[in-house]
Amino acid sequence: MPMTRTGALLLILCGHAALAADIDGSPCRLVDPAELATMGFRINRVPATSVMDLHKGDVDAPVDTHSEVCTLLAGYSGDRLGLQVTVDTFAEKVSEAQLRAWTEVIMRGDQARFTESHIGNATCEVGEFELMHETSNELEGIQHFVSCEMLQIGGVRRVNIYFQVPEDKALLPTTERVKALLDKIAGQQI
């Protein structure tokens, strides 16, 4: 099961997220808009930060978890072209195996097709899924994604970056480019 989409899905599943346009102290400030523009993601809307706290066991969380997700949308309308930066802080050390098991529970029923690779200390995924209309359940298109994440600071922090594009997968940055951006973001503090 994919590990790298966990942060965004937790926010959807839990409904505990608080949205704010204020980017001070959020993962949004870790991203350089000029660098994103060179990757084909010119940010056209105000970034939004979602914050969520889970207690151990909430949505099967292995430990108490504080999550912050920055959503940056590159399209003038809709939300299919953009990226998310997620920083999870765990109350105690977690292992890759615990995170994988947690992700499998959260992603149960996920129909994404993806390939997983390891680049240095990061796990990356490239894939796609069918985007279905929420009320009619009719196919609206194909969503492509690339994502990389790493566990840091002895297993108490996870950083993830997730790019998504509709239809034209050639618009996605390479996993190597995403990993380089992840390294830059993960080296900063929020």
Side-chain angles (χ1 to χ4, degrees):
M1 297 304 301
M3 289 176 43
T4 56
R5 291 169 285 142
T6 305
L9 280 167
L10 281 174
L11 293 172
I12 293 166
L13 288 172
C14 295
H16 299 311
L19 292 176
D22 179 17
I23 63 171
D24 289 339
S26 87
C28 293
R29 72 172 186 77
L30 302 176
V31 182
D32 178 5
E35 183 172 7
L36 294 176
T38 68
M39 299 171 78
F41 285 79
R42 193 171 305 281
I43 304 306
N44 293 309
R45 294 194 271 169
V46 175
T49 299
S50 304
V51 178
M52 179 181 52
D53 289 304
L54 292 175
H55 296 289
K56 182 177 181 175
D58 292 348
V59 193
D60 295 307
V63 299
D64 290 354
T65 305
H66 176 77
S67 295
E68 295 186 22
V69 180
C70 172
T71 301
L72 300 120
L73 298 174
Y76 285 106
S77 64
D79 61 0
R80 293 185 62 196
L81 178 65
L83 67 141
Q84 289 183 320
V85 177
T86 304
V87 177
D88 296 315
T89 305
F90 304 110
E92 56 192 86
K93 180 181 177 177
V94 295
S95 68
E96 293 282 350
Q98 284 176 298
L99 292 177
R100 183 169 293 282
W102 186 27
T103 300
E104 287 179 9
V105 169
I106 293 169
M107 302 298 290
R108 195 177 353 195
D110 179 39
Q111 300 300 313
R113 297 168 297 278
F114 66 95
T115 57
E116 184 178 285
S117 62
H118 296 278
I119 302 174
N121 58 347
T123 301
C124 299
E125 295 174 352
V126 177
E128 65 183 35
F129 58 91
E130 294 178 344
L131 187 65
M132 308 303 284
H133 189 274
E134 59 188 62
T135 55
S136 70
N137 208 30
E138 291 182 20
L139 181 65
E140 288 189 333
I142 301 297
Q143 191 75 15
H144 298 277
F145 64 89
V146 60
S147 180
C148 290
E149 76 173 19
M150 69 175 62
L151 196 55
Q152 297 184 294
I153 314 172
V156 296
R157 179 177 167 185
R158 174 175 50 183
V159 181
N160 171 268
I161 187 163
Y162 170 91
F163 286 86
Q164 63 180 16
V165 299
E167 312 309 332
D168 186 3
K169 115 181 186 181
L171 296 174
L172 284 175
T174 65
T175 52
E176 292 77 16
R177 188 101 189 250
V178 176
K179 168 62 164 81
L181 184 59
L182 176 65
D183 286 340
K184 190 178 290 187
I185 289 170
Q188 301 178 58
Q189 296 293 322
I190 63 167

